[in-house]
Amino acid sequence: TCAKGTLLGQHVCFINGGAGNDVMNWIVTCIENSGEFQCNADGGAGHDQINLQLGTETTPVDFKGVVDYFADTGSGDDEWNAIVNFTGDSDGVVSTFTVLLGDGSDAALLGFIGLGNTQILEGLVDGGAGDDTYVGPPPILLTFPVSNFEIGV
């Protein structure tokens, strides 16, 4: 688990689950969040769950920084869940946002409660091989591709 309050400056977080069934959590519930962030999750083989929570329904994060986010769940029946709630004043930049779910019957949940003026420059959510499920905004409304999902797209 990578749980943080106020984040300023440079922040690097790598989580490697290796083989086996893993649960990985990134939880940011602070009021102020500015700086440069690099976040990588590698689930490896197994039934993995990666959870990304940026803000809560009642307490959004004021995001002013730059972030690179990469998650690869590897093979197995995996889950990737993201809930994002930024303040209306947020004007950060997501320079890359990549989620690779790999082989298996995977599920992806992408919940944007609020983004403010945050820019997403490049991204990809890919279900990989298998019977995969996507729950989230219609891909036509996103600035990045959502691909290889058999249910929900």
Side-chain angles (χ1 to χ4, degrees), residues 9 71 101 112:
L101 294 172
F112 288 138

Side-chain angles (χ1 to χ4, degrees), residues 19-112:
N21 302 338
D22 306 306
V23 176
M24 302 175 208
N25 298 307
W26 265 290
I27 302 168
V28 178
T29 58
C30 57
I31 301 300
E32 185 179 358
N33 190 324
S34 62
E36 295 181 19
F37 308 96
Q38 183 179 6
C39 302
N40 291 359
D42 183 359
H47 304 307
D48 304 315
Q49 181 179 357
I50 298 176
N51 302 305
L52 174 65
Q53 178 185 339
L54 304 175
T56 67
E57 286 189 43
T58 57
T59 308
V61 171
D62 188 18
F63 176 58
K64 304 284 187 192
V66 176
V67 68
D68 292 322
Y69 178 82
F70 180 84
D72 185 348
T73 63
S75 62
D77 297 339
D78 304 311
E79 282 183 51
W80 179 82
N81 305 297
I83 301 296
V84 179
N85 191 10
F86 294 151
T87 65
D89 293 334
S90 292
D91 59 1
V93 175
V94 177
S95 56
T96 60
F97 177 81
T98 304
V99 177
L100 305 175
L101 294 172
D103 293 341
S105 296
D106 307 311
L109 168 70
L110 178 57
F112 288 138

